[in-house]
Amino acid sequence: MKLTPNFYRDRVCLNVLAGSKGNAREIYEAAEGHVLVGVLSKNYATVERAVADMKDYAALIDNALSVGLGAGDPRQSQMVSQISQQVQPQHVNQVFTGVGTSRALLGQNDSVVNGLISPTGKVGWVKISTGPLSSEASDGIVPVDTAIALLKDMGGSSVKYFPMGGLKTREEFACVARACAEQDFWLEPTGGIDLQNFDQIMQIALDAGVSKIIPHIYSSIIDSATGNTRPEDVRTLLASVKKLLA
C-alpha cells in the first residue's frame, strides 16, 4: 500500500472532497491519480465506522485518501489521529497541536501530516492556536519561521494555511510560501480557492520555490445538488497544473 501522494512532476498534488465512493473514483481518474481525496471524520459517529468506510474509499483510489477534520474543526483532532492510525492514509489533516499525536500513532514518516496555521493580518506572523483548547484561548501568534520549525519538531510534513479567503491574504501567503521554501517544508493553501484564482495562488507558491504543494479546492467545485465534486472541474485543475509546470 502506497503511503506517499502521487505528485505531478514531483511538485503538485490536488486535494478535493468526495461526496461518495463513486465520486471518489471519478475524481481519482479525472486527476490521473495526482490527487488526494478528502473524506471528513466529522461525517461519522464513531472511529470504528469511519475506519471501516475509509478503508473502502482507500481501496478504490490506491490509498490516495486524505482524512479530514471538517472545516478545520479542532474538536475532530483526536478522532482524525485515531482513524489514521488504523487506516494508514496518504494524507492527514490536523490542527497545529494534533500533529505530534497523528505522527506518533501512524508509526511511520511517509504519510503526509499537515498542521493548521492561520493568517493574522500581519505579514510574517501566523496563528498557531488552532487546537481544541487553544482555539478558545487568546490567540497564539508567532513568526512563520517559528511555526514551521515547531511543525518539524512534531513530525509534520506541511503547513496547512487556512482560511486564506482566496487571494485576500496574498501578501501573507507569499511570505508563508517563501518561508516554506527556505525551510524545505511543504505547503497546503486552503480556503476560498476556485477555478478563477487557482492559477494565481499556485504561481505565488511556485515562484517562491516551494518544493511540494497540495492545494485544497473544496466548495467551489462541489455540485450543491448532489454533494459531489465535479470531475470536469478536477480535469480543469489538472490541466492548469500541467500548464503551470510545463
Side-chain angles (χ1 to χ4, degrees), residues 29 31 40 59 64 88 96 108 127 134 138 146 161 185 200 202:
E29 290 171 355
L40 303 179
Q88 294 287 308
F96 189 89
Q108 41 85 1
K127 177 183 171 181
S134 56
S138 300
T146 302
Y161 195 55
F185 206 58
Q200 288 176 273
M202 288 300 297

Side-chain angles (χ1 to χ4, degrees), residues 78-98:
Q78 193 66 31
M79 188 176 184
V80 163
S81 290
Q82 292 168 342
I83 292 166
S84 299
Q85 178 184 26
Q86 298 182 60
V87 176
Q88 294 287 308
Q90 289 182 3
H91 188 264
V92 180
N93 292 276
Q94 260 303 355
V95 293
F96 189 89
T97 54

Side-chain angles (χ1 to χ4, degrees), residues 61-191:
I61 54 176
D62 302 322
N63 202 39
L65 178 70
S66 173
V67 178
L69 294 156
D73 187 348
R75 293 169 295 183
Q76 295 299 118
S77 179
Q78 193 66 31
M79 188 176 184
V80 163
S81 290
Q82 292 168 342
I83 292 166
S84 299
Q85 178 184 26
Q86 298 182 60
V87 176
Q88 294 287 308
Q90 289 182 3
H91 188 264
V92 180
N93 292 276
Q94 260 303 355
V95 293
F96 189 89
T97 54
V99 170
T101 300
S102 280
R103 180 59 74 198
L105 290 179
L106 281 166
Q108 41 85 1
N109 293 316
D110 295 323
S111 297
V112 175
V113 180
N114 68 33
L116 173 58
I117 65 176
S118 301
T120 61
K122 185 178 178 182
V123 174
W125 295 79
V126 295
K127 177 183 171 181
I128 63 171
S129 50
T130 59
L133 298 177
S134 56
S135 61
E136 300 296 323
S138 300
D139 286 352
I141 296 173
V142 302
V144 63
D145 290 341
T146 302
I148 292 171
L150 286 165
L151 286 170
K152 284 185 170 184
D153 280 345
M154 295 186 287
S157 315
S158 54
V159 162
K160 181 175 182 178
Y161 195 55
F162 171 85
M164 282 175 52
L167 286 162
K168 290 178 184 175
T169 54
R170 180 197 292 262
E171 296 309 314
E172 287 184 79
F173 174 62
C175 182
V176 170
R178 290 192 296 272
C180 285
E182 287 164 8
Q183 296 199 46
D184 193 23
F185 206 58
W186 302 355
L187 177 58
E188 307 193 24
T190 319

